[in-house]
Amino acid sequence: MKRMRISFVKIVILLTIYITLNAMSICSFSTEDQTCQADVAIILGAAANDGKVSPVYQARIDHGIVLYKEGYVKKLIVTGGTAEGQTLSDACAAKQYALSQGIPDEDIWTEDTSTITLENLACSKAIMDQNACTTALIVSDPLHMKRSMLLAKDAKITAFSSPTPTSRYTSLKTQIPFLARETFFYIGYKWIHIFRRAKSLFYFTFSQKNRYDAWNGSILPRISIRGLSRSTIR
């Protein structure tokens, strides 16, 4: 019993260290500004209500507008689908705001089907491909950048971090819950990513082995990886 308690304490300590290191990594990366010349700025959504963007989303759009006006990008991609109870998508509300700030209509592209960050980036990548764009600045709040850049990489976007210089998350009361949320989803995504790759490698290995067995007349059944369902990641 004593050994079990000691083992449990060790596990808790290791988990605490692991979570703390990830949180520190998110905080450290939040200060990293990679702003450079790119084809587009992808402005990650942050809700709108009755056609009016939230203060958090407005700060992100404002930063995207600065990037556009200073010549870092030629196009803005505003993101976000239609929330429950709303008639206008977050992206459409964002576009209206950007238009009111003097951005030409033809230089604002809307991605209005997504509901989460992963979808924001995957759907924005499709828009980039349709318009022969290859590079993007990712615009969001500083503490959101670490996870966003990981997701952008998995979406096959050549991306650079451009965090907002201003944020609604400035006090400890707002920063701590936001950091806790980002740490939870960042760690969760990394582990799901690891398991997904391990599963793919497992089935690929057995698929290759079964092909070899079939070639040599083995009666072992052939395992196919076709039709496997993909993991959904929030």
Side-chain angles (χ1 to χ4, degrees), residues 4 6 10 16 35 41 45 50 63 98 104 128 150 165-166 173 187 189 198 233:
M4 289 181 62
I6 293 174
K10 287 181 178 179
T16 301
T35 300
D50 294 330
H63 182 50
M128 290 175 63
L150 176 60
T166 59
K173 184 178 179 180
I187 291 174
Y189 182 80
I233 303 171

Side-chain angles (χ1 to χ4, degrees), residues 39-220:
D39 296 324
V40 303
I42 300 175
I43 305 172
L44 300 180
N49 186 33
D50 294 330
K52 183 178 180 180
V53 294
S54 66
V56 172
Y57 202 3
Q58 182 176 325
R60 297 179 185 182
I61 302 167
D62 285 338
H63 182 50
I65 290 171
V66 169
L67 295 174
Y68 175 89
K69 291 185 175 180
E70 292 186 355
Y72 286 104
V73 297
K74 297 180 180 179
K75 304 289 182 182
L76 301 179
I77 300 180
V78 289
T79 66
T82 305
E84 185 177 352
Q86 301 295 315
T87 57
L88 194 68
S89 71
D90 296 349
C92 287
K95 181 174 183 177
Q96 289 182 356
Y97 176 77
L99 288 171
S100 73
Q101 301 302 305
I103 306 299
D105 181 86
E106 63 271 17
D107 290 339
I108 308 171
W109 296 336
T110 56
E111 181 289 295
D112 57 4
T113 60
S114 63
T115 56
I116 56 176
T117 304
L118 179 62
E119 294 173 353
N120 287 164
L121 292 162
C123 296
S124 293
K125 169 60 173 170
I127 294 174
M128 290 175 63
D129 290 344
Q130 291 168 7
N131 292 277
C133 295
T134 58
T135 57
L137 296 180
I138 308 299
V139 176
S140 191
D141 287 84
L143 290 175
H144 191 211
M145 294 308 307
K146 181 76 171 180
R147 182 165 65 97
S148 299
M149 291 300 291
L150 176 60
L151 295 173
K153 180 181 178 181
D154 286 349
K156 311 297 183 185
I157 299 174
T158 302
F160 305 92
S161 173
S162 187
T164 57
T166 59
S167 174
R168 303 295 292 187
Y169 303 102
T170 54
S171 66
L172 285 177
K173 184 178 179 180
T174 55
Q175 284 184 337
I176 290 176
F178 189 34
L179 176 59
R181 177 183 180 278
E182 281 303 306
T183 303
F184 174 80
F185 281 117
Y186 179 65
I187 291 174
Y189 182 80
K190 286 200 302 181
W191 278 98
I192 291 174
H193 199 264
I194 290 170
F195 285 127
R196 185 171 62 180
R197 287 195 172 190
K199 187 176 78 169
S200 297
L201 179 62
F202 173 82
Y203 281 107
F204 175 77
T205 300
F206 273 87
S207 177
Q208 293 299 101
K209 179 181 183 301
N210 286 327
R211 288 178 183 177
Y212 176 80
D213 291 337
W215 180 266
N216 288 278
S218 171
I219 60 173
L220 290 174

